[in-house]
Structure formats: C-alpha cells, structure tokens
Amino acid sequence: MSEQDDGRSGHARGVTRRQTLGIGGALGLTAATGLATAAALARRPSFTGDELRSAVPLPPAFQVPLPIPAVLAPVSTAGSANRYEITQREATVEILPGVRTPMWTYGGTFPGPTIESRRGRPITVRHRNELPVPTVVHLHGGRTPASADGYPTDLVLPEGWPDATRTGQGGHSMGTRDMSGRGMGAHGRDAMHDPRAVVTGPTRGYTFPLNQRATLLWYHDHRMDFTAPAIWRGLAGLHIVRDDTEDALGLPAGRHELPLMIADRAFAADGSLDYPSLDPTLRNRPGVREPYLAGVLGDVILVNGAPWPVHEVEAARYRLRILNASNARHYELEVLTDDGRRIDLVQIGADQGLLAAPVTHRLLPMAPAERYDVIIDFAGVPVGARVRVVNRLGSGRTRDVMAFRVARKVTDRSRIPRVLSRDLPTWRRSDATRVREISFRAGRMHGGHGWLIDGKPFDPARSDVTVRFGDVEVWRLIADVHHPVHLHLVGFHVLARGGGRPLRHDAGLKDTISLRPGESAEIITRFDGYRGRYLFHCHNAEHEDMGMMANLEIV
Ligand code: C2O
Ligand code: CU
Ligand code: CU
C-alpha cells in the first residue's frame, strides 16, 4: 500500500483535484495491461460481468409469491449467549416452479434461515459442515473478533476430507500444509500456505458479540478461492440485529417489514444452477471460464430465492431491508406503478444501521453486498393496483425484480421520524493519523488474468495494511472498473468521490462502497473493536476469488 504518513503531529492531508484520478487515467492503465478482458472492460466501463443463459423455460414475472426466510429458533437462550445450530448440507430446492435445483444450503433452504439478534447480546452459531468441500462462515458487517470472522483459510473441513487432521473445536494450526487439499491453483503455491490458519471440523462454533449498531447483516461462505461459486450455490443467509432505540421509533414493523435478498442466478437444462467453474467440484482448481472473468451474471432475478416474486401488501408504509447478494450484478432500483407513476424510496439506513435523517431517492443504486433500509409508502396506490420494482441497469427479463399487489386499505400508525439516529460517529478528516492510497485494478496473476490490490493478488501470508488499534485513517480507493470495496470489522463514512462530494446514497455508516469506473473515493473510519487479522476486498465475488483481497492487521 502506498502510505502517506503525515507524521504524528500533523493532520492528514486533504484531497485536491490534482490527486484524484480521472477516468482516462484509470482506464488507460487497465488497457495498458493488454488483457482482453481489461480491454473489453475499458470499452464498456458499466459492464460488471457476462450473463449466463438459462437452459430451462423461465416462469412469467410476478406469479410466484415472495417467500420470507424463516427466523431461526435458538437451541438455547440460557447463559451468556443465545445458541444456534446450522447444518451446511446439500438439498434439492424448488426455485423455479416445477424445477428441482440441487443447492448447497445453510439448513436446507435458500436463503438460509434468518438470525435475529439483539445489540450487545452475544450469540454462538454452531455450524456443521456436511458439504463435500471445506467451508468458512463470515458474518458480513459483523463487529466480530478475528477468530470468528471467517478468515478464508480458517476452514471447517467436512468429515473425511483428504489428509485432514480434524481437531474438533479447539483448533489446530495447519503449519505450512496445503490449505485446501487441492493441486496447483490459480494463486500458485505461495498462497496456499498460511501458518496462521485455524482449521477445524466438521463442526465449529462462531461467537458473535454483536456489540454494534442495529442493522441488516448477512452471513455467507468465505473460503479462499471459492467464495463466489459457494455463495452462488446457496451459502448465504440474513442476520438482523435489533435494539430498543430502533424499536421505539415507530418505523413500519411486523408484516410491514420485509427483508429482501436480491440475487441473480442461471439454470442448466437439468435444473441445477449453472456456473462457469473451471472445476465444478470446487475442490481443486479455482476460477471461472474466460468470458466470465469480470463477473458471473444470471438471467433470473431472485428475491428471497423466488424468481421475480410478487407480494400482497396493504396500502401503508413498508420497511424494505434490501441486500444485493448477487455475485457481480449491480442494480439501480426504481419503484413504479403500472400506470407509470414513480414511488419514492425513502432511505432510513445503510449497511451499518440507521442514517441521521432520511434521504429520499427516485433511483437507488446497489452494488454487491450493499444493504439499504428503505421505506416505500403504498398509501397512494389504489386497491388492486400493482407496483413493480425494476432494475434500470437490466435489460429484457433482468429489468424486472419483483412486484407488490395492493390488497386493502388500512390505518397506518407507522412513522418516519425526521431524526433517526444520534449515535453516528463524527470522524473528521483532521482526526486521521494517516491517508492511504489503495488501487483496485485488473492485472496479471500467475500468468493469467487477475484482479489486484496495489498490483498484488491476495496472499494470506503477506501483510498488506497494518493499522494501530484506535487510529482514525482516511483511505483513498482508486478503481479501474466497478469494484464494490468491503472492509471487515469496521463501518466507515464516505468522505469524497472523485474529489467532490459523496453521492446521496453514500449517506450513513457503510461497510461496502461501490467504486465506479475510473473513480477514486475517500472513506474514513476508526479501527477499533478488536485487534487481529482481518480483510478488505472487492465484493464482486469473482474478483474476490481472483485475487482482489488483502490483509488488514489491527495491532
Ligand atoms: Cu461479505 Cu469478506 O465479505
Ligand atoms: Cu465482510
Ligand atoms: Cu472488483
């Protein structure tokens, strides 16, 4: 990382326009790598991947009812932590009506069960891996000690995994053993060795203190080199942290609060999920086939695991807790009545909880892994009318997302307070002890195409960024094409984009920022909570698997 240490006494330098990178500059660098993919991306900077075509007939839009993932019941609420159990296993799920789709699941469903927790009340989730490959669980957006954060080499091995020394819960350092039991991978030999890995199996308990703002989190697989196909196959679920302050606000609740996990997928002729893995067993060789190096897109839009669903609503305010769980697809959501009237999306929260005050959007962009907490009001929609949620970045069938059908009038006692939260951090540029500049660009990796951070592919054994516990830092992130950049452990504020002001949807505390082509953006955060080894990475899941991840050590 290039660091600009301003000295202990001084303040972080401000950004000037001169220091920000123009589109020409960033794309020029991409094209200069001479890679077909990078060149293609430079020509189509809004492009975030290649779309697979399903080989089964697809259902009409707005017919399948919207499923709401079941809330997982704890196995115990005694003692200092609520305890949960989840078995990771193969299951055949009906995603498209009448089509049987084998998936990798948390507990037999896609999405996995939702965990609902209370701020400050720890939980322990005991995962049992009955899948044919090692797994890693990460709670995205969680303020979690490093040992439970799901570092990509902290594997949970299935029973009978070759050469595995299973050690049960206690953990076992793998030394310099091959981390995934695989042959030569795209990362080459070096990255396969991680002396700090803690490998367990087939069960492992993850304890989450949840000492953090109330918000929508999600849990998903995070195994080194294979995160993208594992999430695609179904290893993703929601986690909602609640607290008393938020409960007291009078926001729409109960049946007027809907979690919406949006994800695209494609289906092969036999009903299975299509994905262009080089090694479909996901055991040995990581990576995807050539046209999909920039990202894998599906031609079916799922919400909570149902294709283009429809949900019956009352003519009232609804709180939609939206997650873009797609590997690479971006959305720009717009809510329209069938007669062409646009309904506002009133944003009340970001990745890391409530905003200070609501922000009204007509269009809401969402990059992979981002969450938006929005309220839409159906009060003005006539009973019987339909409201569609569309993605303005999609085309043909991928333009539709889901629909609501207004079924009846009700008295709506919910409200949207003008002040939503008073506990947001107030970091200022002058609090920062350091400004780092970090680039996210295409490049060469082990003789092939890779996605690099500061010119390097991920290596668990290398130390990339080391920050002092408690320090406030400004990071200037520079992108060639779209890169949704995510930091583990901390939430941040967006300070600037392209040397100018942040965008409207950058409001609040975030853990993922959508960098646009050729853009540089500045974020500010305080590195506190826990010490240890964390990560930051691109959350285009294919980029993440192809190198775009780095270590963040808090000391
Ligand atoms: Cu959602 Cu490191 O991940
Ligand atoms: Cu994360
Ligand atoms: Cu990326």
Side-chain angles (χ1 to χ4, degrees):
M1 308 294 131
S2 64
E3 294 178 6
Q4 295 157 15
D5 194 339
D6 295 287
R8 293 288 165 242
S9 55
H11 285 154
R13 270 191 256 163
V15 199
T16 65
R17 289 211 165 261
R18 187 173 41 80
Q19 289 171 298
T20 64
L21 192 64
I23 289 187
L27 295 181
L29 283 170
T30 308
T33 63
L35 301 167
T37 302
L41 290 171
R43 281 196 304 275
R44 289 184 57 197
S46 66
F47 165 91
T48 64
D50 228 87
E51 191 172 294
L52 292 161
R53 290 267 148 208
S54 291
V56 289
L58 300 177
F62 318 138
Q63 301 290 313
V64 179
L66 174 77
I68 306 295
V71 174
L72 188 63
V75 292
S76 148
T77 54
S80 57
N82 288 8
R83 291 195 297 111
Y84 294 87
E85 281 172 8
I86 292 178
T87 300
Q88 304 173 4
R89 60 181 177 87
E90 294 177 283
T92 298
V93 184
E94 185 175 336
I95 301 282
L96 303 177
V99 176
R100 292 164 58 81
T101 301
M103 294 187 77
W104 287 1
T105 69
Y106 290 119
T109 61
F110 175 72
T114 299
I115 293 181
E116 290 215 10
S117 62
R118 303 294 300 183
R119 176 179 192 161
R121 165 84 181 160
I123 69 163
T124 296
V125 187
R126 193 164 188 80
H127 279 268
R128 181 177 173 81
N129 181 6
E130 294 183 358
L131 291 167
V133 298
T135 59
V136 171
V137 180
H138 170 59
L139 179 60
H140 180 123
R143 227 164 150 64
T144 307
S147 60
D149 195 48
Y151 192 83
T153 52
D154 287 347
L155 305 174
V156 183
L157 303 177
E159 200 85 62
W161 182 253
D163 301 318
T165 317
R166 259 178 305 284
T167 57
Q169 188 51 44
H172 165 67
S173 177
M174 295 289 290
T176 54
R177 208 177 66 80
D178 179 337
M179 296 323 307
S180 59
R182 64 173 192 227
M184 185 68 184
H187 280 158
R189 287 278 164 206
D190 302 357
M192 294 199 261
H193 305 293
D194 177 13
R196 295 165 72 181
V198 177
V199 176
T200 53
T203 64
R204 180 173 183 139
Y206 292 85
T207 297
F208 305 109
L210 299 167
N211 218 327
Q212 59 183 98
R213 307 183 82 230
T215 192
L216 173 66
L217 310 176
W218 61 305
Y219 60 100
H220 61 74
D221 196 63
H222 216 301
R223 174 167 59 121
M224 181 153 159
D225 297 344
F226 293 99
T227 293
I231 293 177
W232 185 273
R233 284 189 194 196
L235 294 180
L238 300 171
H239 181 134
I240 301 175
V241 185
R242 302 190 182 278
D243 71 11
D244 297 347
T245 343
E246 187 182 294
D247 290 352
L249 291 177
L251 295 167
R255 65 180 188 283
H256 291 174
E257 178 188 2
L258 301 172
L260 302 175
M261 177 197 278
I262 305 177
D264 58 341
R265 294 290 185 272
F267 295 81
D270 62 359
S272 65
L273 290 170
D274 196 7
Y275 189 87
S277 288
L278 293 176
D279 170 13
T281 68
L282 308 190
R283 292 166 80 98
N284 299 301
R285 189 161 176 221
V288 292
R289 296 196 308 267
E290 173 74 50
Y292 301 96
L293 296 171
V296 178
L297 308 178
D299 60 351
V300 179
I301 306 299
L302 305 178
V303 183
N304 297 343
W308 303 286
V310 61
H311 188 65
E312 192 171 278
V313 292
E314 294 171 333
R317 285 184 203 94
Y318 276 69
R319 180 179 185 188
L320 309 181
R321 316 211 49 184
I322 314 174
L323 159 68
N324 179 0
S326 309
N327 281 18
R329 185 180 290 280
H330 287 235
Y331 300 78
E332 188 177 49
L333 300 179
E334 182 175 30
V335 182
L336 297 168
T337 61
D338 273 354
D339 56 8
R341 208 161 52 80
R342 189 191 267 140
I343 298 183
D344 285 342
L345 296 125
V346 180
Q347 186 191 351
I348 58 166
D351 303 331
Q352 288 285 321
L354 290 174
L355 307 182
V359 176
T360 300
H361 304 277
R362 302 199 316 180
L363 303 174
L364 184 62
M366 284 194 81
E370 283 191 304
R371 286 92 68 213
Y372 286 89
D373 197 345
V374 301
I375 292 186
I376 60 179
D377 192 351
F378 296 107
V381 181
V383 168
R386 191 174 69 173
V387 173
R388 284 172 307 135
V389 179
V390 302
N391 174 19
R392 291 173 44 111
L393 304 178
S395 58
R397 298 224 49 194
T398 61
R399 206 167 167 88
D400 290 327
V401 177
M402 68 171 293
F404 296 97
R405 166 89 51 194
V406 179
R408 70 193 77 82
K409 294 250 172 245
V410 282
T411 342
D412 186 359
R413 295 188 206 289
S414 74
R415 49 187 219 105
I416 309 176
R418 278 149 72 124
V419 175
L420 291 160
S421 142
R422 300 177 192 278
D423 71 341
L424 283 158
T426 55
W427 310 303
R428 309 174 63 100
R429 199 182 286 277
S430 55
D431 299 329
T433 52
R434 188 170 288 204
V435 176
R436 292 177 202 267
E437 207 164 84
I438 302 173
S439 73
F440 296 79
R441 293 192 178 108
R444 291 219 149 250
M445 172 171 117
H446 309 299
H449 176 272
W451 293 100
L452 313 177
I453 298 182
D454 276 357
K456 295 180 287 253
F458 179 58
D459 177 353
R462 187 181 62 226
S463 98
D464 295 308
V465 169
T466 303
V467 302
R468 278 192 326 186
F469 183 88
D471 272 4
V472 174
E473 295 197 2
V474 170
W475 287 15
R476 186 177 302 137
L477 312 170
I478 304 163
D480 56 355
V481 294
H482 284 280
H483 296 295
V485 173
H486 167 52
L487 273 64
H488 282 215
L489 183 69
V490 293
F492 53 78
H493 283 144
V494 179
L495 278 181
R497 274 192 194 253
R501 290 163 55 86
L503 298 169
R504 290 166 60 75
H505 65 277
D506 290 330
L509 199 59
K510 307 226 357 116
D511 56 47
T512 306
I513 174 175
S514 176
L515 299 177
R516 299 179 301 177
E519 188 172 58
S520 84
E522 287 189 317
I523 59 171
I524 187 167
T525 188
R526 181 189 298 280
F527 292 91
D528 60 8
Y530 304 95
R531 290 177 174 79
R533 184 169 65 156
Y534 292 91
L535 295 164
F536 62 99
H537 59 86
C538 179
H539 222 294
N540 172 312
E542 281 76 31
H543 296 192
E544 174 182 346
D545 279 352
M546 283 180 270
M548 200 167 257
M549 182 151 67
N551 289 301
L552 163 62
E553 187 97 40
I554 301 168
V555 297

